[in-house]
Amino acid sequence: MGIFDFFTKEVNEKKDERKTPSIGKPINTRETNGGAMQVFHPRSFEDIQKIIETLKNNQPAIVYLNGLKKDDAQRSLDMLSGAIFALDGGVMPIEKDIYIFTLDGVTVRR
């Protein structure tokens, strides 16, 4: 066994630890409240608090920021991005000014 074989073995062992569960076991162990995707059309920066509360309750959200002024939309996106980061989730643009905020363990594919 050469020195590089040791590193390869270590990497392969780490990959084995991250195997996906077998069929029938949930990949995401976080429970959702109803599991429904929430859709929001905020009209002011104050509406962002309700979206953050929804994310904290383990519900993903689609947010249309096109009803806000440009500065408010950017500020809202910054706040929501910070909240979803703190919750170990993710954000992905769907279209211009439309974003999906997902929770930890949820993958969105294009």
Side-chain angles (χ1 to χ4, degrees):
M1 178 163 99
I3 187 166
F4 295 109
D5 293 334
F6 173 76
F7 291 115
T8 305
K9 181 181 177 188
E10 187 175 302
V11 169
N12 288 337
E13 287 174 357
K14 286 183 181 178
K15 284 182 183 177
D16 289 342
E17 292 173 3
R18 293 181 280 161
K19 283 185 178 175
T20 57
S22 62
I23 294 176
K25 293 183 181 178
I27 293 174
N28 182 5
T29 57
R30 295 179 85 174
E31 291 191 23
T32 60
N33 297 330
M37 176 81 61
Q38 299 291 315
V39 179
F40 294 94
H41 298 269
R43 296 291 172 220
S44 68
F45 184 72
E46 288 76 29
D47 295 338
I48 302 306
Q49 181 64 35
K50 181 172 168 88
I51 300 170
I52 292 173
E53 289 298 322
T54 299
L55 296 171
K56 285 171 53 178
N57 288 328
N58 297 324
Q59 291 183 310
I62 295 177
V63 181
Y64 290 76
L65 296 176
N66 49 9
L68 297 171
K69 292 186 276 184
K70 184 178 179 179
D71 290 341
D72 287 341
Q74 184 61 53
R75 186 174 164 208
S76 298
L77 180 60
D78 292 344
M79 286 290 294
L80 290 167
S81 296
I84 203 68
F85 177 80
L87 296 169
D88 291 326
V91 60
M92 176 184 235
I94 298 174
E95 288 186 15
K96 184 180 184 308
D97 295 329
I98 303 171
Y99 299 89
I100 184 168
F101 293 86
T102 59
L103 305 167
D104 183 29
V106 176
T107 302
V108 178
R109 296 184 183 159
R110 286 191 141 188

